[in-house]
Amino acid sequence: MTTQSGSPRRSSGDLPNHWPLQDAKARFSELVRRVRTDGPQHVTVHGRDEVVVIPAEGDLLKGGATGQALVDALQSSPHRDIDIEPRRTAMPVRDVSLEGLAEFRGIFSVGTR
């Protein structure tokens, strides 16, 4: 397959650690082995990353990243004292007529009949 410029288009199967969904399903045991030996493996659908398979015992699931670096960066910002107010937009309210509901009051009342 080629792109409009005439250069060959690389499928996700040509990229390292990327598996088209059909290949991942057909060769799942190999995919699992590659996760253990080569690290996270990307599964693609129509050429776009959909999921990443990672080892269960890896550091990615053990809470290695806590977000502390982000907190530190925000706290050290020279603009941290700027108060940012979220924009609030008035939402329209629909008029509702409650006439005629009195006859149904008995249906919705609990313990009174």
Side-chain angles (χ1 to χ4, degrees):
M1 185 183 302
T2 60
T3 62
Q4 289 180 349
S5 65
S7 62
R9 179 182 293 169
R10 292 178 57 164
S11 72
S12 57
D14 295 338
L15 297 173
N17 301 331
H18 283 71
W19 299 70
L21 180 61
Q22 293 298 341
D23 291 351
K25 290 185 339 184
R27 299 167 39 204
F28 189 71
S29 295
E30 182 182 348
L31 182 135
V32 170
R33 280 192 295 278
R34 292 259 182 104
V35 167
R36 290 184 189 141
T37 60
D38 300 339
Q41 302 292 304
H42 299 252
V43 178
T44 61
V45 176
H46 303 295
R48 293 185 309 264
D49 279 357
E50 287 294 323
V51 298
V52 178
V53 182
I54 60 172
E57 68 277 349
D59 291 334
L60 294 173
L61 295 179
K62 292 188 178 177
T66 63
Q68 189 61 45
L70 175 61
V71 171
D72 294 341
L74 291 173
Q75 288 179 342
S76 66
S77 169
H79 306 291
R80 70 182 185 152
D81 295 328
I82 295 174
D83 190 21
I84 300 173
E85 290 292 325
R87 291 186 191 183
R88 304 212 187 267
T89 305
M91 300 297 292
V93 178
R94 185 176 66 174
D95 289 331
V96 177
S97 173
L98 301 177
E99 290 182 29
L101 292 179
E103 63 188 66
F104 295 107
R105 186 175 61 199
I107 296 173
F108 298 111
S109 298
V110 178
T112 59
R113 280 216 170 210

